[in-house]
Amino acid sequence: GAGVSQSPSNKVTEKGKDVELRCDPISGHTALYWYRQSLGQGLEFLIYFQGNSAPDKSGLPSDRFSAERTGGSVSTLTIQRTQQEDSAVYLCASSFIGNTEAFFGQGTRLTVV
Amino acid sequence: AQRVTQPEKLLSVFKGAPVELKCNYSYSGSPELFWYVQYSRQRLQLLLRHISRESIKGFTADLNKGETSFHLKKPFAQEEDSAMYYCALSGGAGANSKLTFGKGITLSVRP
Protein backbone atom coordinates (compact mmCIF):
# COMPACT_ATOMS: atom_id res chain seq x y z
CA GLY A 1 0.00 0.00 0.00
CA ALA A 2 0.92 3.65 0.09
CA GLY A 3 3.66 4.89 2.34
CA VAL A 4 3.52 7.73 4.83
CA SER A 5 2.09 10.78 3.15
CA GLN A 6 2.65 14.37 4.25
CA SER A 7 1.02 17.54 3.03
CA PRO A 8 1.80 20.10 1.92
CA SER A 9 5.23 19.31 0.49
CA ASN A 10 6.24 22.94 0.77
CA LYS A 11 4.78 25.78 2.79
CA VAL A 12 5.85 29.39 2.80
CA THR A 13 4.21 31.50 5.45
CA GLU A 14 4.58 34.94 6.92
CA LYS A 15 5.99 35.40 10.38
CA GLY A 16 3.20 35.39 12.93
CA LYS A 17 0.80 33.23 10.94
CA ASP A 18 -0.38 29.79 12.05
CA VAL A 19 0.34 26.67 9.98
CA GLU A 20 -0.98 23.13 9.96
CA LEU A 21 1.02 20.21 8.68
CA ARG A 22 -0.67 16.91 7.95
CA CYS A 23 0.55 13.33 8.16
CA ASP A 24 -1.23 10.23 6.87
CA PRO A 25 0.54 7.20 8.36
CA ILE A 26 0.62 3.70 6.95
CA SER A 27 -2.63 1.90 7.71
CA GLY A 28 -2.39 -0.23 10.83
CA HIS A 29 0.61 1.57 12.28
CA THR A 30 -0.04 2.44 15.90
CA ALA A 31 3.06 4.56 16.47
CA LEU A 32 3.47 7.98 14.89
CA TYR A 33 6.33 10.45 15.26
CA TRP A 34 6.99 14.03 14.30
CA TYR A 35 10.58 15.19 13.86
CA ARG A 36 12.15 18.42 12.71
CA GLN A 37 15.19 18.34 10.43
CA SER A 38 17.36 21.38 10.01
CA LEU A 39 20.93 21.98 8.93
CA GLY A 40 23.38 21.27 11.69
CA GLN A 41 20.70 20.01 14.06
CA GLY A 42 19.98 16.59 12.64
CA LEU A 43 16.66 15.01 13.52
CA GLU A 44 15.00 16.74 16.43
CA PHE A 45 12.25 14.74 18.12
CA LEU A 46 9.01 16.65 18.57
CA ILE A 47 6.20 14.33 19.60
CA TYR A 48 5.35 10.62 19.72
CA PHE A 49 1.94 8.97 19.62
CA GLN A 50 1.72 5.32 20.60
CA GLY A 51 -1.66 3.66 20.38
CA ASN A 52 -4.08 4.96 22.99
CA SER A 53 -1.36 6.10 25.38
CA ALA A 54 -0.88 9.74 26.22
CA PRO A 55 1.47 11.26 23.65
CA ASP A 56 5.06 12.00 24.55
CA LYS A 57 5.27 15.74 23.98
CA SER A 58 8.66 16.18 25.57
CA GLY A 59 10.28 17.36 22.34
CA LEU A 60 7.95 20.21 21.49
CA PRO A 61 10.13 23.34 21.59
CA SER A 62 7.49 25.76 22.84
CA ASP A 63 3.80 26.08 23.58
CA ARG A 64 3.33 27.40 20.05
CA PHE A 65 3.67 23.81 18.88
CA SER A 66 0.91 21.26 19.26
CA ALA A 67 -0.14 18.04 17.58
CA GLU A 68 -3.07 15.75 17.57
CA ARG A 69 -3.86 12.38 16.16
CA THR A 70 -7.48 11.72 15.38
CA GLY A 71 -8.91 8.22 15.47
CA GLY A 72 -5.46 6.73 15.77
CA SER A 73 -4.68 7.61 12.18
CA VAL A 74 -4.12 11.05 10.64
CA SER A 75 -2.03 13.52 12.60
CA THR A 76 -1.81 17.29 12.40
CA LEU A 77 1.09 19.36 13.68
CA THR A 78 0.13 22.96 14.34
CA ILE A 79 2.56 25.81 14.77
CA GLN A 80 1.03 29.04 16.02
CA ARG A 81 2.51 32.49 15.51
CA THR A 82 5.33 31.13 13.37
CA GLN A 83 8.83 32.51 13.78
CA GLN A 84 11.73 32.44 11.36
CA GLU A 85 13.53 29.86 13.49
CA ASP A 86 10.65 27.48 12.82
CA SER A 87 11.85 27.15 9.22
CA ALA A 88 12.86 23.52 8.71
CA VAL A 89 11.73 20.25 7.19
CA TYR A 90 9.10 18.56 9.33
CA LEU A 91 9.14 14.78 9.05
CA CYS A 92 6.47 12.33 10.06
CA ALA A 93 7.09 8.62 10.57
CA SER A 94 4.96 5.67 11.56
CA SER A 95 5.57 2.11 12.68
CA PHE A 96 3.60 -0.88 13.88
CA ILE A 97 4.82 -0.38 17.40
CA GLY A 98 7.45 1.94 18.72
CA ASN A 99 10.43 -0.36 18.51
CA THR A 100 10.08 -1.59 14.96
CA GLU A 101 11.09 -0.09 11.66
CA ALA A 102 9.82 3.43 11.24
CA PHE A 103 8.68 4.54 7.78
CA PHE A 104 9.15 8.18 6.97
CA GLY A 105 7.16 10.59 4.87
CA GLN A 106 8.79 12.88 2.34
CA GLY A 107 8.53 15.81 4.73
CA THR A 108 7.05 19.28 4.65
CA ARG A 109 9.52 22.07 4.02
CA LEU A 110 8.36 25.08 6.03
CA THR A 111 9.76 28.50 5.26
CA VAL A 112 8.80 31.43 7.47
CA VAL A 113 9.46 34.80 5.85
CA ALA B 1 17.06 9.28 29.36
CA GLN B 2 17.90 8.09 25.87
CA ARG B 3 20.76 9.77 24.07
CA VAL B 4 22.57 9.05 20.80
CA THR B 5 25.87 10.70 19.95
CA GLN B 6 27.41 10.82 16.50
CA PRO B 7 30.66 12.68 17.10
CA GLU B 8 31.45 13.55 13.50
CA LYS B 9 29.38 15.59 11.05
CA LEU B 10 31.20 14.68 7.87
CA LEU B 11 33.32 11.83 6.60
CA SER B 12 34.92 12.04 3.18
CA VAL B 13 36.70 9.02 1.70
CA PHE B 14 37.81 7.75 -1.67
CA LYS B 15 36.02 4.92 -3.43
CA GLY B 16 37.29 1.58 -2.17
CA ALA B 17 38.42 2.91 1.19
CA PRO B 18 37.03 1.48 4.44
CA VAL B 19 34.32 3.42 6.25
CA GLU B 20 33.43 3.57 9.92
CA LEU B 21 30.62 5.83 11.09
CA LYS B 22 30.66 6.19 14.84
CA CYS B 23 27.68 6.01 17.14
CA ASN B 24 27.59 5.98 20.92
CA TYR B 25 24.50 5.78 23.06
CA SER B 26 23.31 6.29 26.57
CA TYR B 27 20.47 4.20 27.92
CA SER B 28 20.06 2.42 31.22
CA GLY B 29 18.21 -0.63 29.91
CA SER B 30 18.62 -2.89 26.91
CA PRO B 31 18.31 -0.71 23.82
CA GLU B 32 17.53 -1.53 20.26
CA LEU B 33 19.87 0.22 17.85
CA PHE B 34 19.28 1.20 14.24
CA TRP B 35 21.01 2.93 11.37
CA TYR B 36 18.88 5.00 9.02
CA VAL B 37 20.06 6.48 5.73
CA GLN B 38 18.87 9.38 3.60
CA TYR B 39 20.09 9.49 0.01
CA SER B 40 19.83 12.74 -1.92
CA ARG B 41 16.21 13.67 -2.59
CA GLN B 42 14.92 10.47 -1.02
CA ARG B 43 13.11 9.66 2.17
CA LEU B 44 14.84 8.62 5.32
CA GLN B 45 14.84 4.82 5.42
CA LEU B 46 16.05 1.99 7.60
CA LEU B 47 19.46 0.62 6.68
CA LEU B 48 19.88 -1.99 9.38
CA ARG B 49 19.05 -2.87 12.98
CA HIS B 50 21.19 -4.68 15.46
CA ILE B 51 18.80 -7.51 16.26
CA SER B 52 18.74 -8.69 12.65
CA ARG B 53 22.53 -8.99 12.58
CA GLU B 54 22.56 -8.81 8.80
CA SER B 55 24.70 -7.03 6.26
CA ILE B 56 22.89 -4.53 4.08
CA LYS B 57 24.62 -3.07 1.01
CA GLY B 58 27.87 -4.29 2.51
CA PHE B 59 27.34 -2.39 5.76
CA THR B 60 27.49 -4.07 9.16
CA ALA B 61 27.12 -2.78 12.69
CA ASP B 62 27.82 -4.57 15.94
CA LEU B 63 26.31 -3.57 19.24
CA ASN B 64 29.02 -3.25 21.87
CA LYS B 65 27.30 -2.93 25.22
CA GLY B 66 30.56 -2.50 27.09
CA GLU B 67 31.51 0.54 25.06
CA THR B 68 27.86 1.54 24.44
CA SER B 69 28.61 1.81 20.75
CA PHE B 70 26.98 0.79 17.48
CA HIS B 71 29.45 1.83 14.81
CA LEU B 72 28.55 1.31 11.15
CA LYS B 73 31.25 -0.20 8.98
CA LYS B 74 31.88 -1.04 5.35
CA PRO B 75 35.18 -2.42 4.10
CA PHE B 76 35.07 -0.86 0.63
CA ALA B 77 33.04 2.31 0.11
CA GLN B 78 31.18 2.94 -3.14
CA GLU B 79 30.13 6.27 -4.62
CA GLU B 80 26.48 5.32 -4.21
CA ASP B 81 27.03 5.13 -0.44
CA SER B 82 27.21 8.92 -0.34
CA ALA B 83 24.32 9.95 1.89
CA MET B 84 23.33 11.18 5.33
CA TYR B 85 23.43 8.48 8.00
CA TYR B 86 21.61 8.58 11.32
CA CYS B 87 22.06 6.29 14.28
CA ALA B 88 18.91 5.72 16.35
CA LEU B 89 17.92 4.06 19.59
CA SER B 90 14.71 2.65 20.96
CA GLY B 91 14.30 1.60 24.55
CA GLY B 92 11.93 -1.21 23.63
CA ALA B 93 8.26 -1.43 24.38
CA GLY B 94 5.94 1.05 26.00
CA ALA B 95 6.88 4.58 26.91
CA ASN B 96 10.56 4.00 26.10
CA SER B 97 9.86 2.75 22.62
CA LYS B 98 10.23 6.06 20.83
CA LEU B 99 13.10 6.40 18.39
CA THR B 100 15.79 8.84 19.41
CA PHE B 101 18.21 9.91 16.67
CA GLY B 102 21.72 11.26 16.65
CA LYS B 103 22.53 14.41 14.71
CA GLY B 104 23.65 12.42 11.68
CA ILE B 105 26.79 12.26 9.59
CA THR B 106 27.26 13.03 5.93
CA LEU B 107 29.29 10.40 4.12
CA SER B 108 30.91 11.55 0.90
CA VAL B 109 32.60 8.94 -1.28
CA ARG B 110 34.82 10.42 -3.94
CA PRO B 111 35.69 8.65 -7.19
Side-chain angles (χ1 to χ4, degrees), chain B residues 69-109:
Chain B
S69 69
F70 188 58
H71 302 327
L72 184 67
K73 300 177 183 179
K74 184 168 183 176
F76 308 103
Q78 302 300 313
E79 290 179 64
E80 55 265 29
D81 297 328
S82 296
M84 187 82 172
Y85 291 80
Y86 291 92
C87 183
L89 175 154
S90 168
N96 294 325
S97 59
K98 76 181 184 191
L99 273 175
T100 299
F101 286 83
K103 291 192 179 294
I105 180 170
T106 299
L107 173 63
S108 174
V109 182

Side-chain angles (χ1 to χ4, degrees), chain A residues 61-109:
Chain A
S62 76
D63 59 7
R64 296 187 295 106
F65 288 73
S66 63
E68 62 178 23
R69 189 177 184 192
T70 54
S73 181
V74 171
S75 177
T76 302
L77 176 69
T78 301
I79 308 173
Q80 296 178 311
R81 305 180 302 282
T82 51
Q83 304 295 313
Q84 288 186 330
E85 61 261 29
D86 299 334
S87 296
V89 175
Y90 289 82
L91 292 175
C92 176
S94 71
S95 65
F96 278 112
I97 58 174
N99 60 352
T100 58
E101 179 179 358
F103 292 83
F104 281 80
Q106 82 282 11
T108 293
R109 182 175 296 279

Side-chain angles (χ1 to χ4, degrees), chain A residues 33-56:
Chain A
Y33 305 83
W34 282 98
Y35 293 91
R36 180 165 68 176
Q37 186 179 39
S38 49
L39 278 175
Q41 297 300 315
L43 276 174
E44 178 186 2
F45 166 75
L46 297 177
I47 189 168
Y48 171 49
F49 297 91
Q50 172 52 49
N52 295 321
S53 302
D56 179 347

